[in-house]
Amino acid sequence: KYISIGNHTADHQILTAYSKEEAFKSICECQDMLQGMIGYRPVAIAYPNGMYSPAIVEAASEAGLKLGFTTVPKKEYLPASLNGAGAMMLGRFMPRGGNDVERQCRLFRSDVMLTQRMRVFKRKLAGAKNGVGYK
């Protein structure tokens, strides 16, 4: 249940080297092949070599795709990144060999620290029980 199949074009074409119409055709051909294999049409595409343009994003959207993954290394702030055209140009976390992997993971992990938020909540709750306001 945690695995999703996505589109990567019918033949790994670098889409920016083609017209929007040719890119659309390759994306749709892959959608058709994948539907035949897995029983549904994917909603995501990983652009070959991470190459995309406004025309390619438009072609992928017209093919019914809702998410597009580039190779731009960046931290995405979900669900905000999923609004509008940003959902078709998502970056990805790609650990680099030879670098401190633990440090890289810390840089890309979620900014929501549940344990920290729970501590704040418990302090607020304890303050309310004791009649003390907490900000």
Side-chain angles (χ1 to χ4, degrees):
K1 70 179 184 178
Y2 297 110
I3 295 175
S4 179
I5 303 294
N7 191 314
H8 200 55
T9 73
D11 53 11
H12 202 264
Q13 294 177 3
I14 307 304
L15 297 175
T16 53
Y18 296 88
S19 70
K20 177 185 167 189
E21 293 74 24
E22 291 168 320
F24 178 78
K25 181 180 176 189
S26 180
I27 293 167
C28 287
E29 185 179 338
C30 184
Q31 288 288 88
D32 293 342
M33 287 189 299
L34 289 170
Q35 183 171 9
M37 287 186 256
I38 61 176
Y40 63 90
R41 296 176 81 74
V43 296
I45 184 170
Y47 304 109
N49 286 16
M51 304 295 291
Y52 68 99
S53 68
I56 300 308
V57 168
E58 192 174 321
S61 295
E62 288 173 5
L65 296 160
K66 306 294 182 205
L67 300 170
F69 294 93
T70 70
T71 55
V72 176
K74 68 177 183 173
K75 183 175 184 174
E76 295 292 352
Y77 293 90
L78 303 176
S81 295
L82 300 177
N83 295 327
M88 293 302 290
M89 298 174 281
L90 296 169
R92 46 178 123 165
F93 167 54
M94 300 180 297
R96 302 287 184 201
N99 296 327
D100 182 349
V101 173
E102 187 176 324
R103 180 177 180 276
Q104 293 177 69
C105 289
R106 278 195 311 270
L107 289 172
F108 280 92
R109 76 176 177 207
S110 171
D111 289 333
V112 177
M113 303 297 231
L114 295 178
T115 53
Q116 181 180 350
R117 291 192 184 233
M118 186 55 85
R119 281 188 213 116
V120 170
F121 175 74
K122 285 180 179 180
R123 282 186 293 207
K124 286 182 179 182
L125 187 60
K129 286 181 181 178
N130 296 327
V132 178
Y134 184 84
K135 292 185 180 183

